[in-house]
């Protein structure tokens, strides 16, 4: 794995490459996005036909777009899809017409409170057409006739999503999920995609305990489709994390799972607190990203969500200001580092049983005290051994030990390794 600073630059370059593509919940933009991701990590791509029943939903028709514009009487394009994919209402049905501005206004979306910005708007499940533009652009349009063109298709096709699996020593899984449906929005969620890619690459260089499954799917209906197609094996999912808004300059934010005390919740909170990074931990709400699908009561998976500034928490959210200048290599590298630290804890968090529970075992004759000689943290390491022995009752995990003892998890995990090698504890 490249050094973190280099990884940050590489993630930013991936975001740059993905940024111009027009993505939606279906269509060639999603496929093109996954093709590029597939150059970095191997992907298994799934195509689910229109009309397929997925839980309470139905896979919609596939939407593709070639061009769209509003042109004035001189033929000049005053709004142009070629300049930004945000300019078209997502899932716009085709239209070719000439109409006065007074009629056109009913199909235009702006942000009066942010007049220089273009909003991101969609109409997935109601046939509509429309354009998004800056309020100041609209204000400058004179009355008159305008040519309107949306060269799109809405037809039976497929919903596309992809998976990447990092095999582990056990078949129990950790899922990492990110949405791939938004168009030119760098933070939401190209930064999340980039962090997921580089997290997968880092894990592949290790020998992980868990199997890690990365899911790249359209928001809501994509996660629901994955769940519907994996009902029989979803019990393998022991932990999970949704990645979104991973590249802005705000402090890290962790949103707990619906359970509120899932292991992933405790691990992320421990890592954020002990790292002394500025951060916030938020309670679960059934609104936001796809954690709400994985945490729905029928599944109730232990899946939390990690972001920097959270959903709808910054003025650039779902606007043209969520551009390449809004994200940075440093912020993505920091998000990646937290993910790696959290999964390093999760991957080693075991419950042990003390094999010599009657009185304190003699550590000296096993060479365990001698192994600490000369270490600057010898006293801390010794206390970690004693705490692991004390709490190895099959009920307490190493994270429990670290939290109760007020010791770093790495120190506790190293102590457990030494005690295991000396046949004093076992899983």
């Amino acid at each position: 794995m490249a050094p973190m600073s280099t990884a940050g630059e590489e993630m930013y370059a991936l975001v740059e490459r993905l940024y111009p593509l027009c993505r939606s919940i279906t269509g060639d933009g999603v496929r093109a996005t996954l093709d590029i991701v597939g150059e970095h990590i191997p992907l298994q791509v799934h195509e689910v036909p229109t009309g397929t029943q997925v839980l309470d939903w139905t896979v919609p028709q596939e939407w593709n777009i070639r061009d769209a514009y509003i042109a004035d009487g001189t033929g000049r394009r005053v709004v142009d899809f070629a300049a930004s994919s945000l300019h078209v209402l997502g899932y716009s049905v085709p239209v070719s017409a000439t109409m006065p501005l007074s009629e056109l206004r009913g199909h235009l979306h702006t942000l009066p409170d942010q007049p220089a910005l273009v909003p991101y708007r969609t109409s997935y499940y109601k046939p509509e057409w429309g354009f998004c533009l800056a309020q100041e652009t609209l204000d400058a349009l004179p009355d008159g006739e305008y040519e309107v063109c949306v060269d799109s298709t809405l037809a039976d096709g497929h919903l596309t999503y992809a998976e990447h699996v990092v095999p582990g020593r056990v078949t129990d899984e950790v899922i990492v999920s990110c949405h791939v449906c938004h168009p030119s929005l760098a933070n939401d969620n190209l930064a999340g995609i980039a962090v997921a890619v580089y997290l997968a690459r880092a894990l592949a260089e290790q020998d992980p305990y868990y199997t890690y499954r990365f899911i790249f799917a359209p928001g809501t209906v994509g996660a629901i489709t994955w769940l519907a197609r994996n009902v029989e094996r979803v019990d393998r999912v022991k932990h999970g994390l949704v990645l979104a808004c991973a590249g802005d300059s705000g402090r890290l934010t962790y949103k707990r799972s619906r359970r509120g005390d899932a292991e992933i919740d405790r691990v992320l909170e421990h890592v954020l607190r002990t790292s002394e990074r500025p951060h916030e931990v938020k309670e679960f709400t059934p609104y936001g990203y796809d954690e709400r699908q994985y945490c729905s009561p029928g599944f109730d998976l232990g899946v939390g969500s990690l972001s920097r500034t959270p959903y709808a928490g910054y003025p650039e959210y779902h606007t043209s200001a969520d551009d390449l200048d809004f994200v940075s290599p440093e912020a993505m590298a920091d998000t990646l580092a937290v993910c790696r630290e959290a999964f390093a804890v999760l991957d080693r968090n075991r419950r042990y049983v003390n094999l010599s529970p009657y009185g304190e075992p003699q550590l000296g004759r096993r060479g365990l005290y001698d192994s600490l000689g000369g270490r600057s943290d010898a006293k801390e390491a010794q206390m970690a051994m004693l705490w692991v022995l004390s709490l190895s009752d099959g009920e307490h995990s190493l994270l429990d030990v670290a939290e109760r003892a007020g010791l770093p998890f790495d120190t506790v995990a190293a102590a457990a390794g030494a005690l295991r090698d000396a046949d004093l504890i076992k899983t």
Side-chain angles (χ1 to χ4, degrees):
M1 183 72 182
M4 204 57 70
S5 59
T6 303
E9 295 293 342
E10 291 176 358
M11 286 187 285
Y12 187 84
L14 176 57
V15 170
E16 279 187 306
R17 196 170 164 205
L18 294 172
Y19 183 75
L21 299 177
C22 182
R23 280 163 292 274
S24 189
I25 56 172
T26 63
D28 291 335
V30 175
R31 295 187 186 95
T33 297
L34 296 177
D35 284 346
I36 292 171
V37 170
E39 295 174 16
H40 294 76
I41 54 174
L43 292 179
Q44 181 181 9
V45 178
H46 305 269
E47 297 276 7
V48 184
T50 295
T52 302
Q53 190 70 26
V54 286
L55 306 180
D56 194 47
W57 293 57
T58 303
V59 172
Q61 289 189 310
E62 181 176 324
W63 181 69
N64 286 294
I65 184 166
R66 288 160 292 279
D67 195 14
Y69 60 85
I70 301 172
D72 64 16
T74 70
R76 180 178 68 91
R77 294 189 177 194
V78 295
V79 178
D80 191 356
F81 169 76
S84 171
S85 59
L86 293 178
H87 277 308
V88 173
L89 178 74
Y91 254 62
S92 279
V93 298
V95 62
S96 179
T98 300
M99 62 186 68
L101 181 60
S102 58
E103 181 181 347
L104 178 57
R105 282 182 182 274
H107 297 275
L108 302 182
H109 304 268
T110 65
L111 294 168
D113 294 338
Q114 297 171 292
L117 302 183
V118 178
Y120 165 53
R121 297 288 184 267
T122 63
S123 184
Y124 294 142
Y125 301 106
K126 181 182 179 183
E128 294 279 1
W129 65 267
F131 290 85
C132 300
L133 65 160
Q135 180 67 45
E136 61 188 26
T137 300
L138 176 57
D139 292 344
L141 295 181
D143 288 333
E145 296 288 310
Y146 288 85
E147 180 190 356
V148 178
C149 173
V150 176
D151 182 10
S152 66
T153 55
L154 191 60
D156 287 354
H158 296 83
L159 179 146
T160 310
Y161 72 91
E163 296 175 284
H164 170 78
V165 177
V166 180
R169 283 172 270 152
V170 298
T171 57
D172 288 348
E173 290 186 359
V174 180
I175 59 170
V176 179
S177 180
C178 51
H179 60 278
V180 296
C181 51
H182 286 16
S184 298
L185 300 172
N187 199 39
D188 180 23
N189 187 37
L190 298 181
I193 294 171
V195 170
V197 166
Y198 278 78
L199 177 59
R201 290 176 61 167
L203 288 167
E205 294 177 0
Q206 301 165 16
D207 179 27
Y209 175 76
Y210 289 110
T211 292
Y212 288 84
R213 183 176 299 272
F214 289 77
I215 302 167
F216 300 90
T220 305
V221 69
I224 286 171
T225 299
W226 185 88
L227 286 164
R229 288 163 60 88
N230 289 274
V231 168
E232 299 304 320
R233 56 179 306 283
V234 78
D235 59 339
R236 293 187 193 177
V237 177
K238 305 305 179 186
H239 320 283
L241 189 64
V242 170
L243 285 174
C245 301
D248 68 87
S249 61
R251 63 183 180 179
L252 284 153
T253 301
Y254 178 71
K255 176 183 171 182
R256 293 186 178 111
S257 70
R258 176 179 174 270
R259 299 179 195 171
D261 61 351
E263 190 171 341
I264 192 71
D265 301 328
R266 297 186 57 223
V267 166
L268 260 297
E269 292 174 49
H270 174 83
V271 166
L272 288 169
R273 183 176 64 254
T274 57
S275 73
E276 298 184 348
R277 288 178 172 90
H279 70 277
E280 180 180 9
V281 175
K282 300 172 72 74
E283 294 296 338
F284 175 82
T285 62
Y287 192 69
Y289 293 110
D290 285 325
E291 67 279 354
R292 68 190 199 272
Q293 311 307 334
Y294 301 116
C295 292
S296 57
F299 295 106
D300 196 24
L301 300 177
V303 177
S305 177
L306 182 67
S307 61
R308 300 195 73 84
T309 307
Y311 179 94
Y314 49 97
E316 297 84 358
Y317 177 77
H318 278 195
T319 77
S320 54
D322 185 355
D323 58 15
L324 294 171
D325 291 332
F326 187 64
V327 298
S328 72
E330 295 77 17
M332 284 185 278
D334 186 50
T335 307
L336 175 62
V338 168
C339 291
R340 294 184 67 178
E341 291 165 25
F343 286 169
V345 172
L346 189 68
D347 222 50
R348 294 175 292 164
N349 192 29
R350 304 277 179 281
R351 287 175 171 81
Y352 287 93
V353 174
N354 188 335
L355 298 176
S356 182
Y358 298 101
E360 183 180 302
Q362 190 173 6
L363 300 180
R365 70 178 173 85
R366 292 175 170 87
L368 292 174
Y369 280 148
D370 293 342
S371 69
L372 304 178
R375 286 177 51 166
S376 59
D377 64 342
K379 184 173 178 58
E380 190 175 70
Q382 178 182 333
M383 286 302 301
M385 285 187 187
L386 296 176
W387 271 109
V388 170
L389 287 167
S390 179
L391 294 179
S392 289
D393 52 10
E395 299 296 325
H396 293 85
S397 69
L398 294 185
L399 182 57
D400 293 327
V401 176
E403 294 278 272
R404 183 163 174 183
L407 293 170
F409 182 88
D410 285 349
T411 302
V412 171
L419 292 167
R420 183 190 61 237
D421 292 345
D423 294 323
L424 285 170
I425 60 172
K426 70 173 184 178
T427 53

